[in-house]
Amino acid sequence: MDCWGKMKSSGWIFPTFLLCIYGFFSMMRPSEPFLTPYLTGPDKNLTIDEVTQHVFPVWTYSYLALLFPVFLITDYVRYKPVIILQ
């Protein structure tokens, strides 16, 4: 129990540890392997060709386009509101 007290009292180790744990669990996406079968199923009625050529590229590039503004916003507001809102 003494180790935990030392870890909490040190200045940057505890918040960094919490951010790493939070980042790991927030980026886990267990539904991604099931996304293609869902999109090609009877509910959405897309072909495999449409999914691979139209849906996935837009999804990937939208993440890339939003990465830079989100990075700037998190630096500006000092990370705490972004972590709470996510």
Side-chain angles (χ1 to χ4, degrees):
M1 202 60 151
D2 190 44
C3 270
W4 186 255
K6 282 183 183 178
M7 194 171 168
K8 271 183 139 175
S9 66
S10 66
W12 62 273
I13 295 175
F14 185 68
T16 304
F17 176 74
L18 283 180
L19 280 173
C20 289
I21 293 294
Y22 177 78
F24 174 76
F25 283 112
S26 70
M27 288 294 132
M28 280 186 56
R29 301 178 196 268
S31 64
E32 282 190 11
F34 305 103
L35 187 60
T36 304
Y38 172 71
L39 290 174
T40 57
D43 292 337
K44 299 298 178 193
N45 201 20
L46 295 170
T47 65
I48 296 265
D49 202 34
E50 289 173 329
V51 170
T52 57
Q53 303 228 346
H54 299 288
V55 175
F56 285 147
V58 170
W59 186 23
T60 304
Y61 289 124
S62 67
Y63 273 178
L64 182 63
L66 288 175
L67 186 64
F68 189 68
V70 167
F71 171 71
L72 290 176
I73 290 169
T74 54
D75 272 354
Y76 182 72
V77 296
R78 311 272 182 181
Y79 295 97
K80 289 181 184 175
V82 174
I83 292 172
I84 291 169
L85 291 176
Q86 190 180 28

